[in-house]
Amino acid sequence: MATVTGNSAAAVQKAGEILRSGGLVSFPTETVYGLGADATNGRAVARIFEAKKRPSFNPLIVHVPDEKAARQIAIFDERASILAATLWPGPLTLILPKAQNSGISDLVTAGLDTVAVRMPDHDLARAILKEAGVPIAAPSANPSGRVSPTAPGHVSDGLGAAVDLIVAGGRTSVGIESTILDLSGPRPRLLRPGAVLAADIESLIGPIDHGGSDAGDEGRPTAPGQLPSHYAPHAPVRLNAQSARPGEILITFGPDLRKGDGVINLSEKGDLLEAAANLFAALIAADRPGMSGIAVTEIPDQGIGLAINDRLRRAAAPRS
């Protein structure tokens, strides 16, 4: 199993050393736990794909500690500058033209001339990024296509010894991956909904397109999280369920009176932010041996509920 260390200055220093030397480090962000490697080191990045069994055509997000580091690898226009100044650090990833001499491995960008970049809103994550001194490619720290990890135990259970170090920072606060916005063209495109809402973005830079959340030509994604089947537990997921069928675990939302070992409530208060934070942990807890499936009751399709339902639709999609 991977070495697990707590949140300390020594842990940050050790994480930086491992990342600079080409190793893999899992660390918490406000969204989910990431699996980090030096984005300029092709061999290190290849270890991410090997550990996750991730398709090499699926690009990665590069994490940076500050905007200065982001501008060294990506070209910012006025829209990007406004969003970074207002919404960073935070759960927003920007797809931008890759800067000349960025040094970013082609494995990170899947050969595209764009790069996905974000600055996490998590003190421990940014401390590790600053200590590493290099841009860090960091997808979620789980086997490809499976449920994303929101606690250090999820990482060790899913990836085990494939990770050199897990920096434990407790449960993540947001619980679902970042919003992804493509700014590489003349009109912004929302590629993945998340905690930063479309309305927040449009209030700053004007209208955005909402039709880019699935992989494009020939099923080739331009950003993470666009494959039809993703975020999936081993058990099949059934959406908009009224009740559990025999052998199913039921995931509910709101003031649902059903209780017991076979029922998990994302938020008894009906709080969508709380539901988002609990979503992946609930899917992992419901994915029990011997159960026939996971039933999920209806989740309001508004605000961050749009992102929750995006993850659930992909979790329930037919497996390839």
Side-chain angles (χ1 to χ4, degrees), residues 19 21-24 36-49 107:
L19 289 166
S21 66
L24 298 185
D38 178 357
T40 67
N41 182 336
R43 289 178 64 87
V45 174
R47 287 192 61 195
I48 291 179
F49 287 93
L107 272 177

Side-chain angles (χ1 to χ4, degrees), residues 20-79:
R20 286 192 301 273
S21 66
L24 298 185
V25 174
S26 177
F27 57 88
T29 73
E30 78 277 28
T31 57
V32 300
Y33 271 72
L35 179 62
D38 178 357
T40 67
N41 182 336
R43 289 178 64 87
V45 174
R47 287 192 61 195
I48 291 179
F49 287 93
E50 180 182 27
K52 286 176 61 71
K53 296 180 172 55
R54 182 184 178 98
S56 61
F57 57 77
N58 199 358
L60 306 175
I61 294 173
V62 179
H63 291 62
V64 294
D66 50 47
E67 188 177 333
K68 179 181 178 182
R71 289 179 179 272
Q72 292 173 347
I73 63 173
I75 299 171
F76 280 62
D77 61 11
E78 183 180 4
R79 303 168 303 177

